[in-house]
Amino acid sequence: ELEESGGDLVQVGGSLTLSCVMSERPLENYAIGWFRQVPGKEREYLAAVAWNEARRYYARSVKGRFTIRKDNPRNTAYLEMTSLKPEDAAVYYCAAAVGGWAERVLSQPDKYGYWGQGTQVTVSS
């Protein structure tokens, strides 16, 4: 249903764009969230975009550095990451929720019905 790609090894201060392709369903009907997880820790909310793209939300840890967007004709969402730090290293996941729009909802992993398998981002110093 969802497939992430774009994870890579990048140097501190570098940039990376992750992609999230939705198959079998029209992305335009879904809000998208990006999360990340490191071993031994809970999945961390990073950013979300409402189904109609009227709102974009960011966690404090990534605001000003990451940008979330949707490309509905391509059925693809993106997370553009800049000024990467060692603490940004993690497995990154995209998730989709039908018709979601409020951050208090979209910041909660259990509100998403669809998840990708994750893509690894490594940041070297």
Side-chain angles (χ1 to χ4, degrees):
E1 306 285 358
L2 291 174
E3 183 173 1
E4 304 95 337
S5 62
D8 205 346
L9 170 64
V10 62
Q11 291 188 330
V12 170
S15 301
L16 201 60
T17 296
L18 306 182
S19 301
C20 171
V21 178
M22 173 170 269
S23 58
E24 303 180 5
R25 289 178 170 82
L27 186 65
E28 63 185 357
N29 296 334
Y30 292 81
I32 294 294
W34 282 93
F35 297 78
R36 67 188 178 193
Q37 191 168 23
V38 296
K41 292 192 175 182
E42 292 187 353
R43 195 160 292 189
E44 176 190 7
Y45 160 73
L46 300 175
V49 55
W51 71 274
N52 59 359
E53 301 182 76
R55 295 285 188 271
R56 288 179 175 79
Y57 308 109
Y58 298 93
R60 189 174 300 178
S61 59
V62 304
K63 194 171 186 178
R65 301 190 298 125
F66 290 11
T67 301
I68 187 172
R69 63 183 179 93
K70 291 171 58 182
D71 185 340
N72 289 333
R74 295 180 181 272
N75 243 38
T76 303
Y78 302 93
L79 185 68
E80 300 170 349
M81 306 185 294
T82 64
S83 302
L84 285 163
K85 305 174 182 180
E87 54 263 40
D88 293 320
V91 178
Y92 283 68
Y93 298 90
C94 65
V98 176
W101 64 273
E103 188 176 30
R104 67 180 183 277
V105 173
L106 297 180
S107 61
Q108 305 303 313
D110 62 358
K111 301 303 183 187
Y112 291 84
Y114 305 95
W115 288 85
Q117 82 290 346
T119 187
Q120 177 73 51
V121 173
T122 304
V123 183
S124 66
S125 56

